Amino acid sequence: MPELPEVEVTRLSFASRIAGARILSVRMGKALRWPLGCAPALLVGRIVLGVRRRGKYLLIDLDQGLLMLHLGMSGSLSFVADLPASGKHDHFAMLTTQGTLTLNDPRRFGAVVYADAQDTGSASTLLGRLGVEPLTDDFDVDRFHAGLKRRKAAIKQVLLAGEVVVGVGNIYASEALFQAGIRPTVPAERLSRPRVARLHAAIRDILGRALTSGGSTLRNFSSASGEKGHFQFETMVYARQGEPCRVCARPIKLLRQGQRSTFYCPQCQKP
DNA sequence: AAAAGCCCCTGGATGC
DNA sequence: TGCATCCAGGGGCTTT
């Protein structure tokens, strides 16, 4: 579910409200992707300093150590002041002096992992291979071009892998490639610099607009304050196979790349 | 080293 | 109404 815009929307919806809170209790439900990495009781009494984002991970900084959260495919957070009843798929809940943070995740591909401050292990394992943040100045055309030059795989899959640039998932990869006029199957190394520049601009534009729209809500995504996204109504190609391209009216095509669906316009996107 | 496949899990939509 | 099949915003791990 959540790509960079959804994760960032989530962060913005509770970061300031939880900052400064003291953890009162932690409740675990069914197993997520990985074990928490410490006894839940160890977190009690710690203070939440703030919430950062790295790629699709949320990093909750504590006065001692940090929690790394991932929403997987179906996860969403809520942060409410009153004590919420536990729902069927609430697999992590953290009661604090300022509210309760709950991870609801039906498919349980998500994760909550504790890392000690000096623990270079789990943090670097999870975050170590991540590419550049697309909405920062570090993401420039030169660096992007250099990164793509080293990849022979299809550009769509290079984007999804997140080792060159992070945060671009299945929806926004298709959308950005459409906006840049690039066929998803083009080997990354073969993209000319002007095309890379167009893709660079398209990624920033799409992610920025999705952020402004509160992300995309396909099934049940909502921010930690319960707001649904509405970017799904603005997609040019995603989930529109067989429907007319909004630019040229040719039917949008669907193909599978690495067990994921890719959507593109055969007319507007050149090989 | 990089690329391609496999798998984790639940639920909703679709087809018979 | 029931059951079988396929598909879904991700990504780590194993195999080529």
Side-chain angles (χ1 to χ4, degrees):
Chain A
M1 140 243 238
E3 306 182 32
L4 184 148
E6 291 76 26
V7 177
E8 181 66 7
V9 163
T10 297
R11 188 185 73 82
L12 292 169
S13 68
F14 82 104
S16 66
R17 291 190 291 140
I18 201 173
R22 180 185 301 272
I23 298 171
L24 297 173
S25 66
V26 172
R27 186 184 66 234
M28 306 297 295
K30 291 173 81 170
L32 294 164
R33 186 188 247 273
W34 298 296
L36 179 59
C38 73
L42 189 79
L43 300 174
V44 174
R46 306 251 172 127
I47 306 293
V48 175
L49 301 181
V51 187
R52 291 175 293 145
R53 181 189 55 72
R54 178 73 178 98
K56 297 171 187 167
Y57 285 90
L58 283 173
L59 309 178
I60 301 184
D61 289 307
L62 307 175
D63 57 343
Q64 207 184 329
L66 78 159
L67 289 169
M68 299 181 284
L69 275 70
H70 199 289
L71 302 179
M73 283 282 255
S74 58
S76 60
L77 286 178
S78 72
F79 186 69
V80 294
D82 49 331
L83 198 63
S86 184
K88 182 176 181 189
H89 299 296
D90 294 345
H91 302 305
F92 173 86
M94 188 170 87
L95 182 67
T96 78
T97 50
Q98 291 168 203
T100 301
L101 184 70
T102 303
L103 172 65
N104 182 277
D105 185 5
R107 293 178 72 181
R108 294 191 279 125
F109 290 171
V112 182
V113 176
Y114 173 76
D116 205 81
Q118 52 269 59
D119 174 10
T120 52
S122 57
S124 67
T125 305
L126 253 40
L127 310 177
R129 315 205 62 176
L130 296 183
V132 65
E133 285 290 333
L135 298 181
T136 68
D137 290 340
D138 290 341
F139 184 48
D140 59 64
V141 176
D142 284 336
R143 180 183 299 205
F144 192 32
H145 192 36
L148 296 182
K149 268 267 172 275
R150 292 185 280 105
R151 305 299 184 117
K152 297 185 197 300
I155 181 61
K156 160 81 171 350
Q157 296 185 262
V158 171
L159 291 178
L160 281 191
E163 293 178 353
V164 177
V165 58
V166 294
V168 183
N170 212 35
I171 297 179
Y172 303 119
S174 280
E175 293 299 312
L177 287 166
F178 173 82
Q179 185 162 317
I182 296 168
R183 197 75 65 89
T185 48
V186 178
E189 63 173 2
R190 293 236 300 267
L191 287 170
S192 65
R193 193 191 150 93
R195 301 190 88 194
V196 171
R198 286 191 70 188
L199 182 55
H200 171 268
I203 288 170
R204 286 193 176 227
D205 181 66
I206 294 286
L207 294 180
R209 283 168 43 214
L211 202 46
T212 303
S213 300
S216 300
T217 296
L218 264 45
R219 296 183 133 78
N220 48 24
F221 170 75
S222 62
S223 74
S225 53
E227 305 286 326
K228 304 243 180 238
H230 49 271
F231 189 82
Q232 69 275 17
F233 300 121
E234 297 180 34
T235 59
M236 300 294 277
V237 290
Y238 184 80
R240 296 195 66 244
Q241 70 276 21
E243 296 175 41
C245 173
R246 300 193 199 280
V247 172
C248 76
R250 291 267 308 270
I252 298 301
K253 293 210 168 198
L254 162 66
L255 68 90
R256 296 198 72 81
Q257 291 178 289
Q259 0 273 98
R260 312 297 298 278
S261 293
T262 301
F263 306 87
Y264 70 99
C265 171
Q267 174 72 25
C268 297
Q269 296 175 255
K270 308 298 185 197

mmCIF file of all heavy atoms in Angstrom, chain A residues 182-220:
data_model
loop_
_atom_site.group_PDB
_atom_site.id
_atom_site.type_symbol
_atom_site.label_atom_id
_atom_site.label_comp_id
_atom_site.label_asym_id
_atom_site.label_seq_id
_atom_site.Cartn_x
_atom_site.Cartn_y
_atom_site.Cartn_z
ATOM 1 N N ILE A 182 8.471 7.412 -20.928
ATOM 2 C CA ILE A 182 9.427 6.299 -21.023
ATOM 3 C C ILE A 182 8.720 4.964 -20.847
ATOM 4 O O ILE A 182 7.989 4.766 -19.868
ATOM 5 C CB ILE A 182 10.523 6.450 -19.941
ATOM 6 C CG1 ILE A 182 11.339 7.727 -20.180
ATOM 7 C CG2 ILE A 182 11.429 5.219 -19.906
ATOM 8 C CD1 ILE A 182 12.235 8.110 -19.012
ATOM 9 N N ARG A 183 8.938 4.035 -21.749
ATOM 10 C CA ARG A 183 8.389 2.687 -21.657
ATOM 11 C C ARG A 183 9.037 1.981 -20.454
ATOM 12 O O ARG A 183 10.269 2.042 -20.296
ATOM 13 C CB ARG A 183 8.693 1.929 -22.953
ATOM 14 C CG ARG A 183 7.882 0.676 -23.209
ATOM 15 C CD ARG A 183 6.455 0.973 -23.642
ATOM 16 N NE ARG A 183 6.304 1.662 -24.934
ATOM 17 C CZ ARG A 183 6.207 1.059 -26.118
ATOM 18 N NH1 ARG A 183 6.298 -0.263 -26.216
ATOM 19 N NH2 ARG A 183 6.022 1.776 -27.214
ATOM 20 N N PRO A 184 8.230 1.318 -19.622
ATOM 21 C CA PRO A 184 8.763 0.714 -18.380
ATOM 22 C C PRO A 184 9.807 -0.366 -18.611
ATOM 23 O O PRO A 184 10.571 -0.692 -17.712
ATOM 24 C CB PRO A 184 7.516 0.102 -17.727
ATOM 25 C CG PRO A 184 6.360 0.805 -18.348
ATOM 26 C CD PRO A 184 6.774 1.201 -19.727
ATOM 27 N N THR A 185 9.832 -0.916 -19.812
ATOM 28 C CA THR A 185 10.743 -2.024 -20.115
ATOM 29 C C THR A 185 12.126 -1.579 -20.586
ATOM 30 O O THR A 185 13.008 -2.418 -20.774
ATOM 31 C CB THR A 185 10.120 -2.889 -21.225
ATOM 32 O OG1 THR A 185 9.660 -2.028 -22.281
ATOM 33 C CG2 THR A 185 8.948 -3.698 -20.704
ATOM 34 N N VAL A 186 12.337 -0.292 -20.770
ATOM 35 C CA VAL A 186 13.637 0.182 -21.252
ATOM 36 C C VAL A 186 14.717 -0.143 -20.217
ATOM 37 O O VAL A 186 14.552 0.151 -19.035
ATOM 38 C CB VAL A 186 13.617 1.708 -21.496
ATOM 39 C CG1 VAL A 186 14.992 2.190 -21.960
ATOM 40 C CG2 VAL A 186 12.537 2.085 -22.488
ATOM 41 N N PRO A 187 15.821 -0.767 -20.645
ATOM 42 C CA PRO A 187 16.924 -0.991 -19.702
ATOM 43 C C PRO A 187 17.420 0.346 -19.143
ATOM 44 O O PRO A 187 17.636 1.292 -19.906
ATOM 45 C CB PRO A 187 18.007 -1.653 -20.568
ATOM 46 C CG PRO A 187 17.256 -2.255 -21.719
ATOM 47 C CD PRO A 187 16.095 -1.334 -21.965
ATOM 48 N N ALA A 188 17.592 0.403 -17.837
ATOM 49 C CA ALA A 188 17.946 1.668 -17.180
ATOM 50 C C ALA A 188 19.205 2.285 -17.777
ATOM 51 O O ALA A 188 19.276 3.496 -17.993
ATOM 52 C CB ALA A 188 18.124 1.433 -15.682
ATOM 53 N N GLU A 189 20.186 1.460 -18.079
ATOM 54 C CA GLU A 189 21.478 1.971 -18.560
ATOM 55 C C GLU A 189 21.367 2.640 -19.931
ATOM 56 O O GLU A 189 22.249 3.393 -20.326
ATOM 57 C CB GLU A 189 22.491 0.834 -18.638
ATOM 58 C CG GLU A 189 22.093 -0.235 -19.644
ATOM 59 C CD GLU A 189 23.156 -1.306 -19.875
ATOM 60 O OE1 GLU A 189 24.208 -1.241 -19.222
ATOM 61 O OE2 GLU A 189 22.906 -2.191 -20.714
ATOM 62 N N ARG A 190 20.271 2.355 -20.629
ATOM 63 C CA ARG A 190 20.160 2.880 -21.989
ATOM 64 C C ARG A 190 19.456 4.228 -22.075
ATOM 65 O O ARG A 190 19.314 4.796 -23.160
ATOM 66 C CB ARG A 190 19.413 1.868 -22.863
ATOM 67 C CG ARG A 190 20.185 0.587 -23.090
ATOM 68 C CD ARG A 190 20.370 0.292 -24.578
ATOM 69 N NE ARG A 190 19.091 0.145 -25.254
ATOM 70 C CZ ARG A 190 18.474 -1.020 -25.432
ATOM 71 N NH1 ARG A 190 19.034 -2.126 -25.001
ATOM 72 N NH2 ARG A 190 17.328 -1.069 -26.052
ATOM 73 N N LEU A 191 18.983 4.731 -20.938
ATOM 74 C CA LEU A 191 18.281 6.016 -20.966
ATOM 75 C C LEU A 191 19.265 7.163 -21.185
ATOM 76 O O LEU A 191 20.266 7.286 -20.478
ATOM 77 C CB LEU A 191 17.513 6.224 -19.655
ATOM 78 C CG LEU A 191 16.259 5.350 -19.484
ATOM 79 C CD1 LEU A 191 15.731 5.458 -18.062
ATOM 80 C CD2 LEU A 191 15.182 5.735 -20.483
ATOM 81 N N SER A 192 18.942 7.990 -22.155
ATOM 82 C CA SER A 192 19.793 9.153 -22.430
ATOM 83 C C SER A 192 19.650 10.162 -21.293
ATOM 84 O O SER A 192 18.665 10.148 -20.546
ATOM 85 C CB SER A 192 19.367 9.817 -23.737
ATOM 86 O OG SER A 192 18.054 10.346 -23.593
ATOM 87 N N ARG A 193 20.610 11.057 -21.216
ATOM 88 C CA ARG A 193 20.558 12.045 -20.150
ATOM 89 C C ARG A 193 19.296 12.911 -20.179
ATOM 90 O O ARG A 193 18.682 13.159 -19.141
ATOM 91 C CB ARG A 193 21.808 12.915 -20.165
ATOM 92 C CG ARG A 193 21.914 13.720 -18.886
ATOM 93 C CD ARG A 193 22.949 14.787 -18.933
ATOM 94 N NE ARG A 193 22.519 15.876 -18.070
ATOM 95 C CZ ARG A 193 22.865 15.983 -16.794
ATOM 96 N NH1 ARG A 193 23.669 15.092 -16.257
ATOM 97 N NH2 ARG A 193 22.414 16.971 -16.068
ATOM 98 N N PRO A 194 18.860 13.351 -21.348
ATOM 99 C CA PRO A 194 17.618 14.138 -21.369
ATOM 100 C C PRO A 194 16.412 13.359 -20.853
ATOM 101 O O PRO A 194 15.542 13.913 -20.162
ATOM 102 C CB PRO A 194 17.446 14.487 -22.854
ATOM 103 C CG PRO A 194 18.804 14.400 -23.431
ATOM 104 C CD PRO A 194 19.526 13.338 -22.661
ATOM 105 N N ARG A 195 16.374 12.075 -21.155
ATOM 106 C CA ARG A 195 15.249 11.261 -20.672
ATOM 107 C C ARG A 195 15.358 11.053 -19.164
ATOM 108 O O ARG A 195 14.347 11.036 -18.458
ATOM 109 C CB ARG A 195 15.211 9.911 -21.393
ATOM 110 C CG ARG A 195 15.080 10.035 -22.914
ATOM 111 C CD ARG A 195 14.809 8.700 -23.558
ATOM 112 N NE ARG A 195 13.380 8.426 -23.617
ATOM 113 C CZ ARG A 195 12.851 7.227 -23.873
ATOM 114 N NH1 ARG A 195 13.639 6.182 -24.067
ATOM 115 N NH2 ARG A 195 11.544 7.075 -23.931
ATOM 116 N N VAL A 196 16.579 10.874 -18.682
ATOM 117 C CA VAL A 196 16.787 10.755 -17.231
ATOM 118 C C VAL A 196 16.349 12.047 -16.542
ATOM 119 O O VAL A 196 15.719 12.013 -15.483
ATOM 120 C CB VAL A 196 18.264 10.435 -16.905
ATOM 121 C CG1 VAL A 196 18.522 10.532 -15.407
ATOM 122 C CG2 VAL A 196 18.631 9.039 -17.421
ATOM 123 N N ALA A 197 16.648 13.157 -17.169
ATOM 124 C CA ALA A 197 16.254 14.451 -16.596
ATOM 125 C C ALA A 197 14.724 14.564 -16.533
ATOM 126 O O ALA A 197 14.163 15.068 -15.554
ATOM 127 C CB ALA A 197 16.841 15.602 -17.421
ATOM 128 N N ARG A 198 14.062 14.075 -17.562
ATOM 129 C CA ARG A 198 12.590 14.106 -17.558
ATOM 130 C C ARG A 198 12.030 13.205 -16.470
ATOM 131 O O ARG A 198 11.055 13.547 -15.796
ATOM 132 C CB ARG A 198 12.038 13.635 -18.915
ATOM 133 C CG ARG A 198 12.187 14.636 -20.030
ATOM 134 C CD ARG A 198 11.381 14.217 -21.249
ATOM 135 N NE ARG A 198 9.940 14.322 -21.016
ATOM 136 C CZ ARG A 198 9.007 13.886 -21.857
ATOM 137 N NH1 ARG A 198 9.362 13.310 -22.987
ATOM 138 N NH2 ARG A 198 7.732 14.014 -21.578
ATOM 139 N N LEU A 199 12.650 12.040 -16.310
ATOM 140 C CA LEU A 199 12.193 11.098 -15.294
ATOM 141 C C LEU A 199 12.423 11.661 -13.894
ATOM 142 O O LEU A 199 11.566 11.537 -13.012
ATOM 143 C CB LEU A 199 12.910 9.753 -15.464
ATOM 144 C CG LEU A 199 12.499 8.637 -14.496
ATOM 145 C CD1 LEU A 199 10.996 8.381 -14.540
ATOM 146 C CD2 LEU A 199 13.274 7.352 -14.816
ATOM 147 N N HIS A 200 13.565 12.273 -13.716
ATOM 148 C CA HIS A 200 13.897 12.916 -12.445
ATOM 149 C C HIS A 200 12.827 13.948 -12.070
ATOM 150 O O HIS A 200 12.299 13.951 -10.948
ATOM 151 C CB HIS A 200 15.277 13.574 -12.584
ATOM 152 C CG HIS A 200 15.679 14.449 -11.437
ATOM 153 N ND1 HIS A 200 15.431 15.807 -11.414
ATOM 154 C CD2 HIS A 200 16.293 14.160 -10.265
ATOM 155 C CE1 HIS A 200 15.894 16.309 -10.277
ATOM 156 N NE2 HIS A 200 16.423 15.332 -9.565
ATOM 157 N N ALA A 201 12.483 14.787 -13.028
ATOM 158 C CA ALA A 201 11.459 15.809 -12.781
ATOM 159 C C ALA A 201 10.097 15.169 -12.532
ATOM 160 O O ALA A 201 9.334 15.620 -11.664
ATOM 161 C CB ALA A 201 11.392 16.768 -13.971
ATOM 162 N N ALA A 202 9.802 14.101 -13.277
ATOM 163 C CA ALA A 202 8.496 13.445 -13.152
ATOM 164 C C ALA A 202 8.338 12.794 -11.778
ATOM 165 O O ALA A 202 7.279 12.887 -11.152
ATOM 166 C CB ALA A 202 8.322 12.396 -14.251
ATOM 167 N N ILE A 203 9.398 12.152 -11.302
ATOM 168 C CA ILE A 203 9.341 11.503 -9.983
ATOM 169 C C ILE A 203 9.061 12.544 -8.907
ATOM 170 O O ILE A 203 8.185 12.367 -8.053
ATOM 171 C CB ILE A 203 10.657 10.752 -9.693
ATOM 172 C CG1 ILE A 203 10.743 9.503 -10.569
ATOM 173 C CG2 ILE A 203 10.767 10.383 -8.214
ATOM 174 C CD1 ILE A 203 12.101 8.810 -10.541
ATOM 175 N N ARG A 204 9.780 13.634 -8.951
ATOM 176 C CA ARG A 204 9.561 14.695 -7.965
ATOM 177 C C ARG A 204 8.156 15.252 -8.054
ATOM 178 O O ARG A 204 7.492 15.499 -7.044
ATOM 179 C CB ARG A 204 10.551 15.822 -8.191
ATOM 180 C CG ARG A 204 11.938 15.494 -7.750
ATOM 181 C CD ARG A 204 12.724 16.785 -7.738
ATOM 182 N NE ARG A 204 14.056 16.564 -7.233
ATOM 183 C CZ ARG A 204 14.623 17.343 -6.307
ATOM 184 N NH1 ARG A 204 13.970 18.362 -5.822
ATOM 185 N NH2 ARG A 204 15.835 17.079 -5.883
ATOM 186 N N ASP A 205 7.709 15.474 -9.268
ATOM 187 C CA ASP A 205 6.386 16.065 -9.458
ATOM 188 C C ASP A 205 5.280 15.132 -8.967
ATOM 189 O O ASP A 205 4.388 15.546 -8.225
ATOM 190 C CB ASP A 205 6.181 16.393 -10.942
ATOM 191 C CG ASP A 205 4.832 17.040 -11.179
ATOM 192 O OD1 ASP A 205 4.625 18.162 -10.686
ATOM 193 O OD2 ASP A 205 3.972 16.408 -11.830
ATOM 194 N N ILE A 206 5.361 13.863 -9.378
ATOM 195 C CA ILE A 206 4.328 12.896 -8.998
ATOM 196 C C ILE A 206 4.290 12.699 -7.485
ATOM 197 O O ILE A 206 3.223 12.722 -6.864
ATOM 198 C CB ILE A 206 4.589 11.531 -9.686
ATOM 199 C CG1 ILE A 206 4.418 11.653 -11.206
ATOM 200 C CG2 ILE A 206 3.691 10.439 -9.107
ATOM 201 C CD1 ILE A 206 2.994 11.770 -11.671
ATOM 202 N N LEU A 207 5.460 12.497 -6.884
ATOM 203 C CA LEU A 207 5.494 12.274 -5.435
ATOM 204 C C LEU A 207 4.995 13.514 -4.689
ATOM 205 O O LEU A 207 4.263 13.410 -3.704
ATOM 206 C CB LEU A 207 6.904 11.903 -4.977
ATOM 207 C CG LEU A 207 7.450 10.555 -5.479
ATOM 208 C CD1 LEU A 207 8.861 10.325 -4.939
ATOM 209 C CD2 LEU A 207 6.537 9.398 -5.094
ATOM 210 N N GLY A 208 5.394 14.675 -5.176
ATOM 211 C CA GLY A 208 4.968 15.917 -4.541
ATOM 212 C C GLY A 208 3.466 16.109 -4.626
ATOM 213 O O GLY A 208 2.813 16.478 -3.648
ATOM 214 N N ARG A 209 2.910 15.820 -5.807
ATOM 215 C CA ARG A 209 1.467 15.969 -5.971
ATOM 216 C C ARG A 209 0.704 14.942 -5.146
ATOM 217 O O ARG A 209 -0.363 15.246 -4.582
ATOM 218 C CB ARG A 209 1.101 15.851 -7.447
ATOM 219 C CG ARG A 209 1.431 17.126 -8.234
ATOM 220 C CD ARG A 209 1.345 16.901 -9.734
ATOM 221 N NE ARG A 209 0.193 16.121 -10.107
ATOM 222 C CZ ARG A 209 0.165 15.257 -11.124
ATOM 223 N NH1 ARG A 209 1.246 15.056 -11.860
ATOM 224 N NH2 ARG A 209 -0.932 14.602 -11.398
ATOM 225 N N ALA A 210 1.230 13.722 -5.089
ATOM 226 C CA ALA A 210 0.566 12.691 -4.291
ATOM 227 C C ALA A 210 0.560 13.085 -2.811
ATOM 228 O O ALA A 210 -0.421 12.889 -2.094
ATOM 229 C CB ALA A 210 1.256 11.342 -4.484
ATOM 230 N N LEU A 211 1.673 13.661 -2.391
ATOM 231 C CA LEU A 211 1.788 14.126 -1.004
ATOM 232 C C LEU A 211 0.716 15.173 -0.718
ATOM 233 O O LEU A 211 0.013 15.126 0.295
ATOM 234 C CB LEU A 211 3.191 14.727 -0.845
ATOM 235 C CG LEU A 211 3.835 14.852 0.505
ATOM 236 C CD1 LEU A 211 3.681 13.578 1.307
ATOM 237 C CD2 LEU A 211 5.325 15.167 0.308
ATOM 238 N N THR A 212 0.577 16.113 -1.629
ATOM 239 C CA THR A 212 -0.425 17.165 -1.490
ATOM 240 C C THR A 212 -1.840 16.593 -1.443
ATOM 241 O O THR A 212 -2.723 17.136 -0.777
ATOM 242 C CB THR A 212 -0.319 18.146 -2.678
ATOM 243 O OG1 THR A 212 1.010 18.652 -2.722
ATOM 244 C CG2 THR A 212 -1.299 19.294 -2.538
ATOM 245 N N SER A 213 -2.030 15.461 -2.152
ATOM 246 C CA SER A 213 -3.356 14.835 -2.203
ATOM 247 C C SER A 213 -3.608 13.891 -1.040
ATOM 248 O O SER A 213 -4.600 13.162 -1.030
ATOM 249 C CB SER A 213 -3.512 14.057 -3.511
ATOM 250 O OG SER A 213 -3.381 14.915 -4.612
ATOM 251 N N GLY A 214 -2.667 13.833 -0.117
ATOM 252 C CA GLY A 214 -2.841 12.921 1.020
ATOM 253 C C GLY A 214 -2.536 11.489 0.681
ATOM 254 O O GLY A 214 -2.944 10.573 1.401
ATOM 255 N N GLY A 215 -1.814 11.266 -0.434
ATOM 256 C CA GLY A 215 -1.470 9.898 -0.845
ATOM 257 C C GLY A 215 -2.592 9.263 -1.646
ATOM 258 O O GLY A 215 -3.530 9.943 -2.078
ATOM 259 N N SER A 216 -2.474 7.940 -1.844
ATOM 260 C CA SER A 216 -3.490 7.170 -2.564
ATOM 261 C C SER A 216 -4.145 6.189 -1.606
ATOM 262 O O SER A 216 -3.457 5.501 -0.861
ATOM 263 C CB SER A 216 -2.862 6.384 -3.721
ATOM 264 O OG SER A 216 -2.244 7.243 -4.648
ATOM 265 N N THR A 217 -5.459 6.130 -1.622
ATOM 266 C CA THR A 217 -6.170 5.136 -0.821
ATOM 267 C C THR A 217 -6.851 4.158 -1.760
ATOM 268 O O THR A 217 -7.899 4.452 -2.326
ATOM 269 C CB THR A 217 -7.210 5.806 0.101
ATOM 270 O OG1 THR A 217 -6.528 6.648 1.034
ATOM 271 C CG2 THR A 217 -7.997 4.740 0.873
ATOM 272 N N LEU A 218 -6.206 2.995 -1.969
ATOM 273 C CA LEU A 218 -6.785 1.987 -2.851
ATOM 274 C C LEU A 218 -7.759 1.113 -2.092
ATOM 275 O O LEU A 218 -8.846 0.813 -2.566
ATOM 276 C CB LEU A 218 -5.675 1.128 -3.459
ATOM 277 C CG LEU A 218 -5.214 1.551 -4.844
ATOM 278 C CD1 LEU A 218 -5.020 3.036 -4.938
ATOM 279 C CD2 LEU A 218 -3.955 0.833 -5.245
ATOM 280 N N ARG A 219 -7.365 0.668 -0.931
ATOM 281 C CA ARG A 219 -8.249 -0.139 -0.097
ATOM 282 C C ARG A 219 -8.555 0.611 1.186
ATOM 283 O O ARG A 219 -9.622 1.150 1.345
ATOM 284 C CB ARG A 219 -7.596 -1.479 0.256
ATOM 285 C CG ARG A 219 -7.332 -2.365 -0.904
ATOM 286 C CD ARG A 219 -6.748 -3.683 -0.402
ATOM 287 N NE ARG A 219 -7.409 -4.817 -1.006
ATOM 288 C CZ ARG A 219 -7.171 -5.235 -2.228
ATOM 289 N NH1 ARG A 219 -6.294 -4.583 -2.973
ATOM 290 N NH2 ARG A 219 -7.791 -6.260 -2.737
ATOM 291 N N ASN A 220 -7.579 0.642 2.052
ATOM 292 C CA ASN A 220 -7.883 1.161 3.383
ATOM 293 C C ASN A 220 -6.810 2.071 3.963
ATOM 294 O O ASN A 220 -6.761 2.248 5.161
ATOM 295 C CB ASN A 220 -8.111 -0.016 4.338
ATOM 296 C CG ASN A 220 -7.009 -1.048 4.202
ATOM 297 O OD1 ASN A 220 -5.905 -0.722 3.767
ATOM 298 N ND2 ASN A 220 -7.294 -2.282 4.551
#
